[in-house]
Amino acid sequence: GPRCTPSVFDGKVYTVSREGHILCLNAKTGKPVWESHAKKFRCRPGRWGFANSPLIHDGLCVIDIGRIVAFDAKTGKTKWQTRTDYGQAYSSAIPMTLPGDKTVLLTFPARGLVVLDPKTGKALGSIAWETKYNINAATPLIVGTNRVFISSDYDRGCAMLEIDATGKVKKVWENKNMCTHFSNPMLHKGYLYGFSGNTTKTPPLVCLDAKTGKRTWSKKGIGDGGLIACGTNMIVIGNRGTVYLAPFSATGFKATQTLKVSNTKPCWTSPCVAGKMVFFRDNPKSSKTATLVCYEVK
C-alpha cells in the first residue's frame, strides 16, 4: 500500500503511490484532477518505494522522488525540477523561513540535506549525509530561526545544522546520541525527543539538548513506534501496541497513562490528533487484519 501521508488543501487531496503515481484528487468525489508519474522524470523507486509526502507551498505541489519536482498545484503543470537526481527519498520536503524573511525548501534524500529556492528549484546549499543503505527517512526538524536537526539510523547518528541567509549550510554539532530509523523526532522547549536505533533492536526513546546534542535521558522497553505532541504532553505508541501519555520533560520519562490499543505488531504509524480525538493504527503484513482505533483525549 501507499507509504506517504496525503496532503489536503483547497478541496484537493495530493498523494504519491509507492510505485510513483502522483495524484491530485477531488476531496469530495475522489475523482482525479490531474496526475503524473515518477518515471516521467526518470526516477525509480528505492527498495521501499516512494514514501515521502507532497508539500503544498505557494501554489506549488513539491514532491521529492530523487529529483525534486514542483507542479502547479491546480493544474499539475511542471513548474521546475532539479537537474540532479539526489537518490531515493523517504523523508518529505518542508519550507523554512530564514532571517531576512527568505523562504527556502529543505529536502533530505539519500545524498544528504539540500536547500532549494522554492521559485526555481535551484540548489542554494547542501551537506552530504549518507548511510549504509542510502536511507534518510526522518524529515528534517527546524530548530529556531536558522537551525535544522537531521538524524538517520544504521549507526549514522544526528547533527544540528545552521543555514545562513543565502542558504549555505554548516555543521554545528554531530554525534550518535539519536539514530532515527523512520519515526520523526520532535522539539519542545529546546529539547529533542525521538527513538534511537533500528526497529529490529527495540531502540530506546531518548531526549537530547538541542544546543549541545547531549543526551539527557534514555527510556528502554517501549519499542520503536511513533510519537506526536499533544499540548504539553507527548503521545507515544510502541511497536507492540502500547500507548504512553507523558509530559515533555528534559529530566526523564514518566508516563501518566498507558493504554493497550493493539495486540498486533508492529505499530509504527505515528498517532494522529484531530480535535479531541486521537487515532492509532497498526501495521500487520496483511491489510485484512489491520486495525484503526480512535480514543477521546480529555
Side-chain angles (χ1 to χ4, degrees):
R3 303 202 179 241
C4 90
T5 299
S7 297
V8 182
F9 179 76
D10 197 25
K12 300 179 182 66
V13 178
Y14 301 83
T15 189
V16 184
S17 78
R18 61 178 295 171
E19 293 83 14
H21 300 90
I22 301 166
L23 299 171
C24 172
L25 309 172
N26 183 293
K28 290 184 178 181
T29 66
K31 293 181 178 180
V33 177
W34 58 263
E35 56 187 290
S36 187
H37 200 286
K39 62 185 179 182
K40 175 182 176 182
F41 305 95
R42 306 183 303 282
C43 296
R44 297 180 179 181
R47 178 179 180 184
W48 304 108
F50 292 104
N52 71 103
S53 302
L55 167 68
I56 310 303
H57 174 75
D58 197 22
L60 299 175
C61 173
V62 181
I63 300 175
D64 188 348
I65 49 177
R67 297 181 194 279
I68 298 91
V69 183
F71 302 90
D72 184 297
K74 292 183 178 180
T75 67
K77 179 182 178 181
T78 303
K79 303 297 286 187
W80 53 258
Q81 61 177 295
T82 59
R83 293 183 179 181
T84 303
D85 184 336
Y86 294 99
Q88 58 194 24
Y90 299 110
S91 68
S92 303
I94 57 170
M96 180 179 185
T97 302
L98 299 172
D101 207 31
K102 179 183 179 66
T103 299
V104 296
L105 298 182
L106 306 179
T107 63
F108 194 38
R111 296 188 188 179
L113 186 83
V114 183
V115 183
L116 300 171
D117 183 328
K119 295 182 179 179
T120 64
K122 178 182 177 182
L124 303 175
S126 65
I127 191 166
W129 187 269
E130 298 182 5
T131 68
K132 182 178 179 180
Y133 299 105
N134 294 321
I135 295 175
N136 293 317
T139 297
L141 181 62
I142 296 172
V143 179
T145 58
N146 65 338
R147 291 190 173 186
V148 177
F149 176 74
I150 59 174
S151 181
S152 303
D153 192 21
Y154 312 108
D155 203 36
R156 185 63 177 89
C158 59
M160 185 66 69
L161 309 176
E162 191 169 275
I163 304 177
D164 69 18
T166 67
K168 302 301 180 184
V169 186
K170 72 174 183 179
K171 193 181 301 178
V172 179
W173 55 257
E174 176 183 352
N175 59 45
K176 294 184 179 181
N177 288 336
M178 187 186 293
C179 299
T180 305
H181 194 180
F182 51 67
S183 181
N184 292 336
M186 297 188 299
L187 174 72
H188 183 79
K189 292 186 176 181
Y191 289 86
L192 299 156
Y193 301 82
F195 288 103
S196 180
N198 196 278
T199 56
T200 62
K201 300 177 181 179
T202 315
L205 182 68
V206 302
C207 175
L208 308 186
D209 185 324
K211 289 184 179 180
T212 64
K214 180 182 178 181
R215 183 183 288 190
T216 62
W217 58 257
S218 176
K219 173 66 177 179
K220 297 181 179 180
I222 295 175
D224 195 353
L227 64 164
I228 194 170
C230 184
T232 58
N233 295 285
M234 65 176 98
I235 299 177
V236 184
I237 183 169
N239 61 8
R240 300 180 184 88
T242 300
V243 172
Y244 304 82
L245 178 69
F248 283 105
S249 172
T251 59
F253 181 88
K254 186 176 182 180
T256 56
Q257 184 180 3
T258 60
L259 183 69
K260 188 73 172 178
V261 299
S262 175
N263 292 314
T264 303
K265 65 177 186 179
C267 294
W268 288 338
T269 303
S270 292
C272 178
V273 176
K276 293 184 178 181
M277 314 305 288
V278 57
F279 299 85
F280 305 98
R281 182 171 71 87
D282 54 27
N283 305 80
K285 291 183 178 180
S286 172
S287 61
K288 294 180 180 180
T289 59
T291 56
L292 176 68
V293 185
C294 178
Y295 285 84
E296 182 179 6
V297 179
K298 295 184 179 180

